[in-house]
């Protein structure tokens, strides 16, 4: 085979693969009106928190402060070993409680023995947070799971059936979002992602990092929005979702006024912490 023929074959294969790539990547773009409540407010990441204060992240005090300031709220939900839904970000308790162990390995009663950061705040029940927010501001709820997502996702969906406020779901695991698409498709779904090639903490095979970075499992969940690390907004797949498909996007996590202004060209929803935005 000559060099010219080889090049021609490669070009034909690439041309054939591109439509498949777009099909795998494409988000759902038919529910933009439902996204407006999340665009009308800035979203306080884990509440309006300061981990050196009496209102640490994902605490009732931090959520109360966000409510009082009129911000939307982003929070993380996990399931304890006895089936309770609690609001906590890390899989391991160490950073926020000093206890080395996974949330999923503890009962809720055991978790009540630990305080958050330097405060007297405890890890809250998801139900208590919902009761306090009570529809006052939009909620961005992250399903905090690893490989095993079903039990947590099912429990969250069941609890939210009676909640009357505005909320959306997001998750790094596309299979959890696909579960939501199948069992409660009316709820807005957001695919969380970033440039996994730069992530040194998560030990994943290279092909898995490539698939997740480029959101090639979007065909499973057809997310209503892409929630992407704002520092990685130049990634081609993210830009295609935004520019070609005109999909809705959420930026995480904005940590200065400068970052907020710089993100406005590529994002519709802004999740922030560590500063008070000058404009909303």
């Amino acid at each position: 085979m000559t060099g010219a023929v080889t090049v021609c074959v490669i070009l034909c294969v690439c041309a054939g693969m591109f439509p498949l790539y777009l099909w795998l990547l494409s988000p759902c773009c038919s529910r933009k009106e439902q996204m407006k409540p999340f665009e009308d407010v800035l979203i306080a990441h884990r509440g309006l928190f300061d981990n050196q204060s009496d209102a640490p992240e994902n605490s009732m005090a931090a959520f109360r402060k966000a409510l009082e300031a009129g911000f939307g709220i982003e929070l993380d939900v996990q399931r304890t070993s006895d089936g309770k839904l609690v609001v906590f970000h890390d899989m391991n308790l160490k950073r926020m409680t000093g206890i080395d162990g996974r949330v999923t390995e503890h009962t809720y009663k055991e978790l009540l023995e630990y305080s958050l950061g330097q405060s007297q705040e405890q890890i809250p029940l998801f139900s208590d947070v919902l009761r306090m927010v009570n529809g006052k501001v939009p909620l961005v709820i992250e399903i905090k799971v690893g490989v095993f997502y079903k039990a947590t996702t099912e429990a969250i969906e069941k609890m939210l059936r009676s909640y009357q406020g505005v909320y959306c779901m997001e998750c790094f695991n596309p299979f959890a979002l696909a579960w939501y698409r199948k069992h409660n498709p009316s709820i807005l779904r957001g695919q969380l992602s970033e440039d996994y090639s730069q992530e040194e903490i998560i030990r994943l095979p290279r092909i898995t990092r490539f698939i997740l970075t480029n959101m090639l499992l979007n065909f499973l969940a057809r997310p209503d929005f892409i929630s992407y690390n704002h520092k990685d907004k130049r990634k081609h797949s993210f830009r295609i979702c935004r520019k070609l498909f005109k999909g809705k996007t959420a930026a995480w996590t904005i940590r200065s006024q400068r970052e907020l202004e710089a993100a406005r060209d590529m994002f519709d929803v802004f999740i922030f912490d560590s500063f008070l935005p000058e404009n909303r």
Side-chain angles (χ1 to χ4, degrees):
M1 184 179 291
T2 66
V5 172
T6 301
V7 171
C8 185
V9 170
I10 292 173
L11 290 175
C12 288
V13 170
C14 291
M17 291 293 289
F18 191 66
L20 174 61
Y21 161 69
L22 294 180
W23 180 80
L24 294 173
L25 174 64
S26 61
C28 173
C29 299
S30 63
R31 299 198 290 177
K32 293 182 179 180
E33 287 296 313
Q34 288 179 247
M35 288 295 297
K36 284 189 175 180
F38 304 94
E39 298 175 48
D40 291 340
V41 296
L42 297 179
I43 310 295
H45 186 232
R46 308 177 199 171
L48 199 58
F49 76 87
D50 178 350
N51 283 339
Q52 306 305 312
S53 75
D54 58 359
E57 66 181 64
N58 276 328
S59 68
M60 295 297 281
F63 298 139
R64 192 175 298 112
K65 289 181 68 175
L67 283 176
E68 292 170 354
F71 293 116
I73 294 172
E74 184 271 350
L75 53 82
D76 312 274
V77 183
Q78 300 190 50
R79 188 169 176 267
T80 64
S81 64
D82 58 340
K84 301 291 186 182
L85 293 176
V86 295
V87 180
F88 194 82
H89 177 266
D90 298 0
M91 294 298 189
N92 194 291
L93 295 159
K94 182 73 172 178
R95 180 177 64 89
M96 287 305 298
T97 71
I99 304 299
D100 189 10
R102 296 176 68 86
V103 174
T104 54
E105 296 170 345
H106 288 69
T107 65
Y108 176 62
K109 184 177 180 180
E110 290 170 338
L111 293 179
L112 288 178
E113 298 176 8
Y114 315 138
S115 58
L116 294 171
Q118 301 176 15
S119 74
Q120 298 302 310
E121 292 286 315
Q122 297 172 312
I123 298 172
L125 284 169
F126 184 40
S127 58
D128 288 343
V129 177
L130 294 177
R131 194 174 299 112
M132 181 176 71
V133 176
N134 193 30
K136 297 181 182 72
V137 297
L139 289 177
V140 178
I141 301 166
E142 180 179 344
I143 306 170
K144 202 72 181 181
V145 289
V147 175
F148 303 104
Y149 65 89
K150 190 174 181 182
T152 302
T153 306
E154 287 179 340
I156 292 172
E157 193 276 335
K158 183 177 180 180
M159 180 169 289
L160 285 167
R161 288 176 194 170
S162 59
Y163 184 68
Q164 299 301 309
V166 173
Y167 69 92
C168 65
M169 312 304 299
E170 64 177 15
C171 192
F172 282 98
N173 188 328
F175 294 100
L177 296 178
W179 185 97
Y180 241 97
R181 181 190 185 194
K182 179 179 179 181
H183 295 279
N184 198 342
S186 65
I187 304 303
L188 291 172
R189 306 175 298 275
Q191 181 61 61
L192 276 159
S193 192
E194 62 178 327
D195 181 1
Y196 281 85
S197 68
Q198 304 300 316
E199 181 56 75
E200 298 299 330
I201 299 174
I202 302 174
R203 298 176 181 176
L204 294 172
R206 183 174 298 180
I207 184 61
T208 303
R209 291 172 181 261
F210 178 82
I211 290 170
L212 294 176
T213 297
N214 292 285
M215 298 169 287
L216 297 183
L217 296 179
N218 276 359
F219 74 96
L220 295 173
R222 292 296 180 221
D224 298 285
F225 64 98
I226 303 300
S227 191
Y228 217 76
N229 188 333
H230 74 99
K231 296 178 181 179
D232 299 329
K233 67 180 184 178
R234 299 300 176 190
K235 299 299 293 184
H236 293 307
S237 290
F238 172 76
R239 293 180 67 83
I240 288 173
C241 283
R242 174 71 176 183
K243 297 293 187 179
L244 178 62
F245 293 119
K246 309 298 182 184
K248 291 294 184 178
T249 55
W252 63 269
T253 299
I254 303 293
R255 292 196 165 95
S256 71
Q257 189 67 34
R258 181 178 179 181
E259 289 185 352
L260 176 60
E261 300 306 326
R264 291 192 184 279
D265 64 330
M266 292 291 286
F267 295 94
D268 305 291
V269 178
F270 304 92
I271 302 171
F272 76 94
D273 70 32
S274 306
F275 79 110
L276 276 177
E278 295 173 6
N279 49 17
R280 305 185 187 185

